[in-house]
Amino acid sequence: MNIFRNHRKLPSDRYSLGLDIADPKRTVTIPRSAHLAVIGESNSGKGSVIANIISQEVAFGGEIWFIDLKAGMEAENYCNVLARKAYTLEEAYDLLTDFNSNVDTLAAEWRGKTRSLTDAQTCHRLLVIDEAADMVRSGPNKKLSDSCIELVRSILSRSRALNCTVVVATQNPRVSTSLPYRSLLLTTVALRLNSKGEATMALGEDAVKRGARPWQIPFSRPGDGYLWDTETNQTVYLHVPFISD
């Protein structure tokens, strides 16, 4: 996958997601510190969102950790730039434990000295969790699954000020079966979805009331989606550029 695109001109504190469809000259960006949920049906463009963010993280000199419980089918596209990867639930637990420990270390080192860290103080870490629903298990794997989910919650709740970002992608917007830590992901990109009900689960009622219509995105428009930021209460209809293999 050709992810090495020229993102050097971007400010290092923001990710570019794509172009505003209503104003194609305007680039839509989010803070690099914003934990992000990417929700959409198969072939809706989730892979392109991830690829664009990873491409920028490489350009910024950050460190990328990737959990892909579908045997690494997506993550292997980036194997040359990954600091850590996990393709099984056991590997995911080990990776999340180490990521959480790094958060503990940073918190202890910088507590009382600053409110938020920058690249000058510590290397930025990007954690990508692809197809997050695969982490939610029942039966004999439930205990390990629950441990992984608690680690994700811990990371999301504490790492933003410590120069870490989490990007979670899923086809399933249902909290109980896909995103049990949904309330900690305050920024969302909803790509094509099946129904208004799914859009409400993915983005919330306020975003739908403000015009978000991901269930109306045609199959012929992969990469189209709605950005919803609960901190600013803004929704933007954007197009994420496709990145080919």
Side-chain angles (χ1 to χ4, degrees):
M1 179 176 286
N2 180 19
I3 65 170
F4 300 102
R5 307 168 71 187
N6 184 13
H7 292 289
R8 291 291 184 182
K9 295 181 180 179
L10 290 172
S12 62
D13 62 343
R14 300 191 73 83
Y15 289 130
S16 168
L17 293 180
L19 297 178
D20 186 339
I21 289 178
D23 180 7
K25 294 182 179 180
R26 187 175 83 90
T27 299
V28 179
T29 67
I30 59 172
R32 193 165 162 225
S33 61
H35 298 320
L36 175 68
V38 184
I39 305 173
E41 292 297 307
S42 180
N43 297 317
S44 62
K46 294 189 302 298
S48 288
V49 177
I50 291 172
N52 276 281
I53 288 176
I54 288 179
S55 157
Q56 292 167 74
E57 195 60 47
V58 170
F60 294 146
E63 193 173 280
I64 303 158
W65 298 38
F66 203 124
I67 297 175
D68 179 1
L69 298 183
K70 289 192 180 298
M73 293 297 292
E74 182 71 20
E76 275 301 300
N77 291 310
Y78 313 103
C79 60
N80 291 333
V81 298
L82 299 182
R84 289 283 300 273
K85 57 186 180 181
Y87 298 164
T88 68
L89 195 61
E90 291 77 11
E91 290 174 353
Y93 175 79
D94 291 340
L95 182 152
L96 291 167
T97 298
D98 291 344
F99 198 101
N100 199 56
S101 294
N102 287 331
V103 171
D104 289 338
T105 299
L106 287 172
E109 180 181 355
W110 292 96
R111 188 178 295 116
K113 299 177 183 178
T114 184
R115 290 187 176 182
S116 61
L117 299 180
T118 66
D119 287 0
Q121 294 163 318
T122 186
C123 178
H124 184 270
R125 286 191 175 93
L126 169 66
L127 171 61
V128 178
I129 303 175
D130 193 33
E131 295 301 345
D134 293 330
M135 191 178 289
V136 181
R137 306 283 181 88
S138 58
N141 290 318
K142 186 178 187 305
K143 184 176 181 180
L144 185 58
S145 168
D146 289 347
S147 296
C148 287
I149 289 166
E150 287 308 308
L151 285 167
V152 174
R153 280 201 181 99
S154 176
I155 291 165
L156 285 170
S157 64
R158 301 184 304 125
S159 66
R160 182 170 179 177
L162 298 171
N163 209 26
C164 300
T165 305
V166 181
V167 175
V168 179
T170 184
Q171 295 184 39
N172 185 350
R174 291 171 177 79
V175 170
S176 61
T177 55
S178 182
L179 296 172
Y181 37 77
R182 179 72 183 90
S183 62
L184 298 172
L185 293 160
L186 299 182
T187 306
T188 304
V189 171
L191 302 159
R192 188 186 70 250
L193 292 171
N194 284 321
S195 65
K196 181 178 179 180
E198 286 194 352
T200 301
M201 284 187 284
L203 294 168
E205 291 184 5
D206 284 349
V208 174
K209 288 179 180 178
R210 290 173 184 266
R213 298 289 186 271
W215 68 92
Q216 294 180 355
I217 297 172
F219 284 88
S220 60
R221 295 286 300 178
D224 283 10
Y226 290 87
L227 169 66
W228 172 248
D229 186 343
T230 58
E231 293 180 320
T232 62
N233 288 329
Q234 292 183 337
T235 181
V236 180
Y237 190 26
L238 77 156
H239 179 73
V240 178
F242 175 68
I243 293 185
S244 62
D245 291 348

